[in-house]
Amino acid sequence: MPLRTLFASLVLAAFAGCSSVQTQKAAVPLATIQSTERLQLMVRTGDAVMDKLVYEMAYQQFGGVLPLREKEPYTGTVEITFASSAQSAFIGTSSTSGSASAYGSGWYTGRGYTSGSAYVSGHSTTVTTGSTFQWQNSTMIIVIKKADGERLWSADYGYKGGWELSGWVVNTPEEAARLVTKRLKEKFLKDFR
């Protein structure tokens, strides 16, 4: 019976869809962006701790390829919005699960928030018998734009951990953010080749 439950869970995960990425870029060479822009990195996740983690992950990934600056003057922004939720399949007889919520406003800039605040509540899971396979479904949106609003590059990445092999090891929002940020940097470089 547990093997049948595992198979059903994997089939349901397969129907959830696979990860996807969509990007758009302006007809501006990367060398021009690197030589003329001073970009401010801004992150919004709805969670104060995640804001800081995603900011640092993004700075590490994109800091070597984009002219990111932490002091004014800025000529544009790199806006990153990230959200992640856990999904799970229970293999066994019973479990109980609480819910989580997160919301916030304002952009985290590495030096604090532009405005607004963040709020987070908790999540709990109790498993009585059997085990749970858990994965992340995440969305990361990146928009690089000049101060006048002209978009230089944008990306929308939908990560479906239940469909990918990486879903077996990417179990937290932090791990999902790290993976997606790395993949988006690779996609950015491919788009500008």
Side-chain angles (χ1 to χ4, degrees):
M1 190 77 159
L3 186 56
R4 184 180 295 162
T5 305
L6 173 62
F7 179 74
S9 299
L10 293 174
V11 169
L12 285 173
F15 286 116
C18 58
S19 297
S20 64
V21 63
Q22 297 175 9
T23 61
Q24 293 182 343
K25 81 174 206 66
V28 177
L30 181 56
T32 301
I33 295 170
Q34 292 170 332
S35 65
T36 62
E37 301 299 328
R38 292 181 53 88
L39 302 173
Q40 180 183 31
L41 180 60
M42 303 168 71
V43 172
R44 181 182 294 169
T45 68
D47 178 312
V49 173
M50 277 299 294
D51 286 343
K52 293 174 180 139
L53 288 171
V54 172
Y55 179 91
E56 291 303 324
M57 290 173 195
Y59 205 96
Q60 290 293 320
Q61 289 296 321
F62 286 93
V65 297
L66 283 172
L68 298 179
R69 303 293 183 261
E70 293 187 298
K71 292 182 181 176
E72 293 185 43
Y74 304 114
T75 61
T77 58
V78 178
E79 299 173 352
I80 299 179
T81 306
F82 177 76
S84 192
S85 62
Q87 286 198 313
S88 61
F90 182 71
I91 304 165
T93 57
S94 66
S95 72
T96 59
S97 179
S99 63
S101 62
Y103 64 87
S105 61
W107 292 96
Y108 179 74
T109 64
R111 301 175 80 195
Y113 287 89
T114 56
S115 65
S117 61
Y119 167 80
V120 179
S121 66
H123 177 79
S124 65
T125 302
T126 304
V127 177
T128 54
T129 60
S131 62
T132 301
F133 169 61
Q134 183 173 324
W135 64 90
Q136 292 292 312
N137 288 330
S138 308
T139 299
M140 183 174 282
I141 297 172
I142 299 179
V143 180
I144 302 172
K145 59 185 172 182
K146 295 172 119 181
D148 66 4
E150 177 188 353
R151 288 176 180 241
L152 301 172
W153 186 75
S154 63
D156 181 354
Y157 196 108
Y159 174 71
K160 303 290 186 190
W163 179 255
E164 292 191 19
L165 287 176
S166 63
W168 291 95
V169 294
V170 176
N171 298 307
T172 67
E174 294 85 0
E175 292 167 341
R178 185 178 309 280
L179 176 69
V180 172
T181 303
K182 181 179 178 188
R183 287 181 177 178
L184 281 173
K185 176 198 167 190
E186 293 166 0
K187 179 65 173 150
F188 174 83
L189 290 173
K190 284 180 187 175
D191 284 355
F192 278 95
R193 281 192 189 146

